[in-house]
C-alpha cells in the first residue's frame, strides 16, 4: 500500500542510518582515545578492574622512587665503608711497622697515622646522602635505629594494604657515634669495647682501653693490644660492609622485579581496555560505506512519495 502519511521505508532507512551513525561515533571514539573501555558505561567490570590495577601501578611507581632513594643512601655508605676499611688497613700496617721502629721513626709514622685518622673522620662525616649518614649515627636513639626502604606495595583481596621493607640496622654500620658515649666501631672506648682507632698513638703507646701505657705492661704487649683492636674493628667493618652489600643487592633485585611487575600490570590492563586499532580501522571503513548506503536508501525511500504524484497527472 502506498501512503503519503506514513513512509515505512523512510522510517526503516532512518533507524538504520541512526544505528550506523551511533556505531561510527563509538568507533571514532575508540580510534581517537585508543581505548575500547574508556568509561564505566563501556564495560563496568573491565573498567573497575583496570582502574584498580592502574592505581596499584601508581603505587609501584612510588615504590620504585623510594627504592631509588634508598639505593643512593646504601650505595654511598657502602662506598665510604670500603674506603674506611682500606684506610684502617693502612693504619694497621703503620702500627705494625712502628712496633720495631726507633722513637724518631715512630714520630714520623704517627704523623702518617694521624693523617689517616683525619681522613677517616672527614670521609665518614661526608658519606651523607639526602641528609642521612648510615656510618655516623646516634647509639642512644630509640626511634632512629635503622634505615627502612619501602620495597613493595601489597593489597589483599579484602583491600588491606601492607608494605614490605628492606632494613639496614645502624648497629652494624655505625663507625662513629654522634653521641658523647662513643659506641661506634672506630671510636669505641672502654676495656670491654676496645680502643678508639681514631686516637691510636704509637708514640704515647695508647693502651687498648684508651688510657696511656699501664705500669708493668710491656711495650710489645701494648702494640699487640693496638693491633688486636684494629683487627676487631676490621672484622666489625667487614660485617657492616656485608650488611650494606646485601641490602644493596636486594634493592637492585627488587627494583628490577617491581619494574617488570609494573610492565606486566600495564600489559594486563591494556588487554582489558585497549582498542584493537586494526579492527577499529576496518570497522570504520565498513561503517562509512554503510552510512553512504543508508543515506542513499533514505533518499530512495523519500522519493517514493513523489512517485504518487505521477498517478494524478
Amino acid at each position: 500500500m502506498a501512503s503519503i502519511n506514513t513512509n515505512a521505508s523512510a522510517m526503516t532507512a532512518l533507524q538504520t542510518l541512526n544505528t550506523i551513525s551511533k556505531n561510527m561515533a563509538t568507533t571514532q571514539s575508540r580510534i581517537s582515545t585508543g581505548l575500547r573501555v574508556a568509561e564505566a558505561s563501556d564495560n563496568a567490570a573491565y573498567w573497575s578492574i583496570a582502574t584498580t590495577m592502574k592505581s596499584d601501578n601508581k603505587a609501584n611507581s612510588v615504590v620504585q622512587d623510594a627504592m631509588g632513594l634508598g639505593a643512593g643512601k646504601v650505595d654511598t655508605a657502602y662506598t665510604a665503608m670500603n674506603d674506611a676499611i682500606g684506610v684502617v688497613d693502612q693504619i694497621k700496617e703503620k702500627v705494625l711497622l712502628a712496633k720495631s721502629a726507633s722513637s724518631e721513626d715512630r714520630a714520623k709514622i704517627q704523623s702518617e697515622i694521624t693523617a689517616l685518622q683525619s681522613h677517616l673522620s672527614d670521609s665518614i662525616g661526608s658519606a651523607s646522602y639526602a641528609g642521612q649518614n648510615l656510618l655516623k649515627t646516634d647509639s642512644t636513639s630509640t626511634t632512629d635505629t635503622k634505615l627502612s626502604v619501602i620495597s613493595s606495595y601489597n593489597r589483599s583481596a579484602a583491600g588491606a594494604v601492607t608494605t614490605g621493607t628492606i632494613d639496614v640496622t645502624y648497629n652494624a654500620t655505625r663507625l662513629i657515634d654522634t653521641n658523647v658515649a662513643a659506641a661506634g666501631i672506630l671510636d669505641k672506648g672502654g676495656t670491654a669495647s676496645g680502643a678508639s682507632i681514631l686516637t691510636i698513638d704509637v708514640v704515647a703507646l695508647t693502651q687498648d682501653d684508651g688510657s696511656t701505657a699501664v705500669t708493668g705492661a710491656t711495650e710489645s704487649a701494648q702494640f699487640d693490644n693496638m693491633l688486636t683492636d684494629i683487627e676487631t674493628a676490621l672484622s666489625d667493618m667487614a660485617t657492616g660492609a656485608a650488611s650494606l652489600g646485601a641490602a644493596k643487592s636486594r634493592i637492585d633485585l627488587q627494583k628490577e622485579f617491581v619494574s617488570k611487575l609494573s610492565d606486566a600490570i600495564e600489559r594486563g590492563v591494556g588487554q582489558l581496555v585497549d582498542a584493537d586499532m586494526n579492527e577499529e580501522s576496518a570497522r570504520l571503513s565498513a561503517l562509512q560505506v554503510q552510512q553512504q548506503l543508508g543515506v542513499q536508501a533514505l533518499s530512495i525511500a523519500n522519493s517514493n512519495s513523489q512517485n504518487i504524484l505521477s498517478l494524478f497527472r
Side-chain angles (χ1 to χ4, degrees):
M1 181 184 73
S3 172
I4 61 172
N5 294 322
T6 305
N7 192 336
S9 297
M11 286 189 292
T12 300
L14 184 59
Q15 289 175 356
T16 301
L17 188 59
N18 287 337
T19 300
I20 293 171
S21 297
K22 182 179 179 181
N23 290 338
M24 183 174 286
T26 299
T27 301
Q28 288 175 333
S29 174
R30 291 177 177 177
I31 291 174
S32 62
T33 62
L35 297 174
R36 178 168 57 94
V37 181
E39 300 176 352
S41 58
D42 296 330
N43 188 315
Y46 282 5
W47 181 86
S48 177
I49 294 171
T51 299
T52 301
M53 297 313 296
K54 286 178 180 178
S55 177
D56 284 356
N57 237 8
K58 291 177 182 178
N60 284 333
S61 178
V62 174
V63 169
Q64 282 185 292
D65 292 341
M67 284 195 290
L69 181 61
K73 295 178 180 180
V74 172
D75 192 45
T76 300
Y78 182 74
T79 301
M81 179 71 81
N82 282 335
D83 177 75
I85 290 174
V87 174
V88 173
D89 260 333
Q90 292 182 56
I91 291 177
K92 180 178 73 172
E93 294 171 3
K94 302 299 180 184
V95 171
L96 185 59
L97 180 62
K99 183 174 182 179
S100 59
S102 64
S103 298
E104 182 179 349
D105 288 339
R106 286 180 184 176
K108 296 175 182 177
I109 293 171
Q110 180 57 43
S111 66
E112 295 181 276
I113 292 176
T114 301
L116 292 172
Q117 290 168 335
S118 297
H119 173 74
L120 275 175
S121 297
D122 292 342
S123 62
I124 293 169
S126 63
S128 179
Y129 185 93
Q132 195 163 14
N133 191 330
L134 307 188
L135 307 185
K136 194 173 182 179
T137 53
D138 185 353
S139 63
T140 62
S141 175
T142 57
T143 55
D144 188 19
T145 60
K146 62 183 179 181
L147 170 68
S148 292
V149 180
I150 295 178
S151 58
S152 63
Y153 180 87
N154 313 305
R155 181 174 50 81
S156 69
V161 174
T162 57
T163 56
T165 60
I166 297 174
D167 299 330
V168 179
T169 57
Y170 294 153
N171 283 339
T173 63
R174 184 183 297 113
L175 298 183
I176 296 178
D177 192 353
T178 58
N179 191 270
V180 176
I185 294 173
L186 297 181
D187 62 0
K188 286 181 177 179
T191 305
S193 58
S196 169
I197 306 303
L198 301 178
T199 60
I200 279 181
D201 191 331
V202 296
V203 176
L205 292 182
T206 305
Q207 189 66 332
D208 65 338
D209 63 355
S211 64
T212 54
V214 177
T215 304
T218 65
E219 182 180 276
S220 178
Q222 291 166 12
F223 271 106
D224 289 345
N225 285 334
M226 288 184 192
L227 292 169
T228 299
D229 290 331
I230 293 173
E231 288 294 348
T232 301
L234 284 171
S235 176
D236 292 342
M237 292 170 77
T239 300
S243 176
L244 291 169
K248 183 176 181 295
S249 177
R250 239 192 105 189
I251 290 174
D252 290 341
L253 288 173
Q254 189 66 12
K255 282 176 64 179
E256 183 179 359
F257 167 73
V258 173
S259 177
K260 291 180 179 178
L261 178 64
S262 296
D263 290 344
I265 291 175
E266 189 171 349
R267 288 194 300 270
V269 170
Q271 290 175 353
L272 291 178
V273 302
D274 285 355
D276 185 335
M277 300 305 289
N278 291 331
E279 181 181 341
E280 299 302 331
S281 177
R283 182 179 288 112
L284 180 61
S285 297
L287 288 171
Q288 287 173 336
V289 174
Q290 292 176 27
Q291 186 181 49
Q292 293 173 5
L293 292 174
V295 171
Q296 188 68 26
L298 182 60
S299 177
I300 293 172
N302 285 333
S303 68
N304 288 338
S305 299
Q306 298 295 326
N307 294 334
I308 296 176
L309 290 176
S310 63
L311 298 176
F312 296 95
R313 290 174 183 168

